[in-house]
């Protein structure tokens, strides 16, 4: 079972997410928090595999709560639950260490896929959110990494690995697809982060989208 903590100040949202992430799909909701100031204690008590985090809450917002989790010795990955009116918080959450974003009105299938991917160590960027994250990236981040983040610094193999990361693959999945060891994949991932001037998978995905290495819209989805 994938152990899940849900953090949202709206009971109806927590109930809806908990209903979707049920035992029949391999999930166990081990705790629910109605504000960000409760999540560190909940994580310490229940040791979840993933935290689903709202952004705007009354006392402590999702960005601050995500950053607080990052201070733990073994922080769980955080999947941000967002809406279309929260553009100003998207990069802040990513910069705080969030592993990805999923819309609150996403389909049950997408929520399940996103939660599984993030719990397994991958990153997830909802295509409907991606363009807005890119806007934040270009405004706040690109200027300070412009000299470091150059696509032509990557080797062909690193390009290939980055493409798999951007599509939500974990290191073991990438290793299987490329027929190499997981240790080799980890080496490539570390080199990619260093060359792009990013610190995690989610930020590397944003870079990949921004430089046209991955299509913003999956096949069959209209722009």
């Amino acid at each position: 079972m994938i152990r899940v903590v849900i953090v949202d100040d709206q009971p109806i949202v927590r109930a809806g997410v908990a209903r979707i992430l049920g035992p029949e799909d391999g999930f166990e909701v081990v705790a629910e928090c109605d504000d960000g100031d409760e999540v560190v204690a909940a994580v310490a008590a229940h040791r979840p595999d993933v935290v689903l985090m709202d952004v705007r809450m009354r006392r402590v917002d999702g960005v601050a709560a995500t950053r607080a989790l990052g201070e733990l010795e073994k922080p769980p990955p955080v999947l941000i639950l967002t809406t279309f009116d929260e553009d100003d918080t998207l990069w802040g959450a990513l910069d705080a260490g969030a592993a990805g974003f999923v819309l609150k009105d996403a389909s049950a299938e997408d929520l399940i896929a996103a939660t599984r991917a993030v719990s397994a160590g991958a990153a997830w960027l909802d295509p409907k959110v991606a363009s807005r994250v890119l806007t934040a990236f270009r405004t706040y981040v690109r200027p300070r990494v412009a000299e470091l983040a150059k696509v032509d610094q990557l080797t062909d193999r690193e390009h290939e690995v980055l493409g798999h990361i951007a599509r939500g693959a974990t290191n073991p999945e990438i290793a299987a697809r490329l027929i190499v060891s997981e240790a080799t994949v980890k080496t490539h991932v570390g080199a990619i982060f260093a060359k792009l001037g990013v610190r995690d998978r989610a930020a590397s995905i944003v870079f990949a989208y921004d430089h046209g290495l991955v299509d913003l819209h999956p096949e069959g989805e209209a722009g």
Side-chain angles (χ1 to χ4, degrees):
M1 288 284 186
I2 297 171
R3 296 168 61 81
V4 180
V5 168
I6 303 170
V7 188
D8 196 292
D9 61 357
Q10 299 181 54
I12 192 170
V13 173
R14 297 199 306 271
V17 172
R19 186 167 58 250
I20 292 170
L21 301 179
E24 63 276 9
D25 288 305
F27 297 96
E28 179 185 4
V29 176
V30 295
E32 296 183 20
C33 305
D34 67 7
D35 212 291
D37 57 0
E38 301 174 3
V39 67
V40 171
V43 165
H46 299 283
R47 300 187 180 279
D49 299 304
V50 61
V51 173
L52 273 65
M53 182 85 73
D54 186 21
V55 174
R56 291 180 177 163
M57 292 176 282
R58 294 183 299 276
R59 298 186 298 273
V60 175
D61 65 31
V63 175
T66 298
R67 188 168 285 112
L69 287 177
E71 298 296 321
L72 299 177
E73 184 177 352
K74 293 183 178 180
V78 175
L79 178 63
I80 295 292
L81 298 168
T82 185
T83 63
F84 276 113
D85 63 352
E86 294 174 335
D87 287 14
D88 57 329
T89 64
L90 290 177
W91 184 261
L94 196 60
D95 193 48
F101 302 91
V102 66
L103 290 172
K104 285 186 177 181
D105 62 356
S107 68
E109 292 77 10
D110 283 348
L111 179 60
I112 288 170
T115 306
R116 281 181 177 154
V118 169
S119 71
W124 185 277
L125 195 60
D126 190 309
K128 294 177 182 177
V129 178
S131 62
R132 292 149 51 209
V133 176
L134 290 182
T135 298
F137 175 85
R138 291 163 182 156
T139 301
Y140 301 112
V141 181
R142 181 190 274 175
R144 74 171 186 255
V145 301
E147 293 304 314
L148 292 174
K150 295 180 179 178
V151 176
D152 58 10
Q153 291 183 352
L154 301 179
T155 66
D156 289 343
R157 179 61 95 181
E158 288 163 358
H159 271 283
E160 195 172 3
V161 171
L162 179 58
H164 286 298
I165 291 173
R167 292 178 178 86
T170 62
N171 285 356
E173 289 170 342
I174 296 171
R177 293 171 189 175
L178 300 183
I179 317 178
V180 297
S181 70
E182 189 174 343
T184 297
V185 173
K186 288 181 179 178
T187 298
H188 287 314
V189 171
I192 290 167
F193 290 175
K195 291 178 180 180
L196 301 187
V198 300
R199 69 179 187 181
D200 56 31
R201 297 174 91 90
S204 71
I205 289 178
V206 175
F207 181 91
Y209 279 127
D210 188 49
H211 288 78
L213 303 179
V214 178
D215 193 345
L216 274 175
H217 304 288
E219 287 186 26
E221 182 177 326

